[in-house]
Each structure stands twice: as structure tokens, then as C-alpha cells.
Amino acid sequence: MSTAAPYTTDVSGPRHDRLRQHPTPGLYNSLFPWPDAKHPLRVMINYVVILVCRISPSLRLKNWLLSRLGVTVGDGVAWGLESTPDVFWPELITVEDHAIIGYDATLLCHEFLQDEYRTGEVVVGERAMIGAGAIVLPGVEIGAGAQVAANSLVTADVPPETTVAGVPAEPLGSDDETTEEP
């Protein structure tokens, strides 16, 4: 009978350099002691407010409510229906002027793992666009004017004026590139 090696986490790279690690020793995974990290009443209030924002068609109401939870919301930010900012740590999100968060997109500021949880800021730059159903992980910065294609998983920073797509999201080729026929 073999036993598995102890679980370790590899935290390296630009996104991971910005994450804060919170060890959670004990018998259970890091999700069990979450009430020690965030008061349950605060999470419930965040959840209800975010639920209202998810179904509200009013962008002004969404921006106002989310700013009350601590999200930094720039001028002219548009949140699509069903878009979801982090429920545990919304105060770690910054969405700059005229950015678009698409339908059912999710901005996460936490990761619950086996022996720890991690938190990190998410920054969406000015005039950036997050496509429908995309997921942005904690510690990621989306540059100004960048675009994230629908249903992408953003695991690394997106440079300004860059379009990324896929799981994990990777830069798409430029339209200016020319290819030679064989």
C-alpha cells in the first residue's frame, strides 16, 4: 500500500507573486475554516447584494451597489447580466473607466486549496473587455484596452491592447501578420 506525498503548492510567476497565501492547518481542506477568514454575515450580505447586481439591468445601480461592497468601479463601467464579482473579497477588485464585464463573467479574488487559501487583487484596465462566461483568477491584471474572449480562463496577466482566448487564455495572433502560402 502506498501513501501519497504531502500536498504542496507551487506559487511562482507574476500572478502568483501577487497572491497572499493563508495556510489552513488541520484535518480538512481550506474551505472548512472559511468563517475564520471572513465573517459569515459579511459573506451573506455580499452574496445578496451581488445577486441583486447579477439580475439588475441598471448599470448605475450595479456600479453603486458594488462600490458599497468595496469594489473600485470607474466611470462608465458596464457589468453584463449574471456577471459575478468575488463574493468573499469584492474589495480586491478594481475595474477602471469604461471597462466591460460580459454576461456571466466571473472575477475571482480567492482560491481555496487543500492546505491553504490564496487571495489576490484583480485589476481590469481602462476600456478592457471581459467576454461572456470568462473567468479571471486572483492576482490577474487585464491591461488597458485588452480583450478576453468568451468562455476563457484567465490565469495570467493580459498586456494592454491584447486579445486572449482559450483555457488557459493565450494571446491571439495579430490581424496585421501576413502568412506565406506554401
Side-chain angles (χ1 to χ4, degrees), residues 143-182:
Q147 298 181 352
V148 174
N151 293 315
S152 295
L153 175 64
V154 185
T155 62
D157 293 348
V158 180
E161 303 296 332
T162 301
T163 299
V164 297
V167 178
E170 294 182 358
L172 296 179
S174 170
D175 291 339
D176 297 335
E177 292 176 2
T178 57
T179 57
E180 294 183 27
E181 296 289 325

Side-chain angles (χ1 to χ4, degrees), residues 97-169:
D97 296 349
H98 307 290
I100 298 171
I101 311 301
Y103 176 86
D104 200 31
T106 303
L107 305 180
L108 291 173
C109 296
H110 73 279
E111 303 173 314
F112 286 111
L113 305 172
Q114 288 297 323
D115 297 325
E116 69 182 14
Y117 70 92
R118 301 175 189 161
T119 56
E121 293 183 36
V122 169
V123 178
V124 179
E126 186 174 342
R127 299 192 63 79
M129 191 276 306
I130 310 299
I135 299 172
V136 179
L137 294 184
V140 167
E141 294 181 7
I142 309 290
Q147 298 181 352
V148 174
N151 293 315
S152 295
L153 175 64
V154 185
T155 62
D157 293 348
V158 180
E161 303 296 332
T162 301
T163 299
V164 297
V167 178

Side-chain angles (χ1 to χ4, degrees), residues 1-180:
M1 176 178 215
S2 66
T3 58
Y7 178 78
T8 60
T9 57
D10 176 29
V11 179
S12 60
R15 173 178 89 87
H16 288 98
D17 292 345
R18 290 189 293 269
L19 295 180
R20 188 163 174 223
Q21 294 175 268
H22 309 271
T24 54
L27 297 175
Y28 301 109
N29 64 53
S30 67
L31 192 53
F32 269 81
W34 75 261
D36 296 335
K38 209 59 158 178
H39 194 283
L41 184 57
R42 169 49 46 199
V43 174
M44 290 178 0
I45 291 168
N46 290 352
Y47 182 83
V48 169
V49 171
I50 289 170
L51 183 61
V52 168
C53 290
R54 286 175 48 95
I55 62 173
S56 172
S58 170
L59 299 178
R60 286 185 182 166
L61 178 62
K62 288 180 189 193
N63 288 338
W64 184 82
L65 286 172
L66 292 174
S67 69
R68 296 293 133 336
L69 293 183
V71 177
T72 302
V73 181
D75 291 334
V77 169
W79 298 85
L81 287 172
E82 301 294 333
S83 60
T84 307
D86 193 277
V87 172
F88 283 88
W89 286 275
E91 66 274 11
L92 296 178
I93 297 173
T94 298
V95 182
E96 296 178 357
D97 296 349
H98 307 290
I100 298 171
I101 311 301
Y103 176 86
D104 200 31
T106 303
L107 305 180
L108 291 173
C109 296
H110 73 279
E111 303 173 314
F112 286 111
L113 305 172
Q114 288 297 323
D115 297 325
E116 69 182 14
Y117 70 92
R118 301 175 189 161
T119 56
E121 293 183 36
V122 169
V123 178
V124 179
E126 186 174 342
R127 299 192 63 79
M129 191 276 306
I130 310 299
I135 299 172
V136 179
L137 294 184
V140 167
E141 294 181 7
I142 309 290
Q147 298 181 352
V148 174
N151 293 315
S152 295
L153 175 64
V154 185
T155 62
D157 293 348
V158 180
E161 303 296 332
T162 301
T163 299
V164 297
V167 178
E170 294 182 358
L172 296 179
S174 170
D175 291 339
D176 297 335
E177 292 176 2
T178 57
T179 57
E180 294 183 27

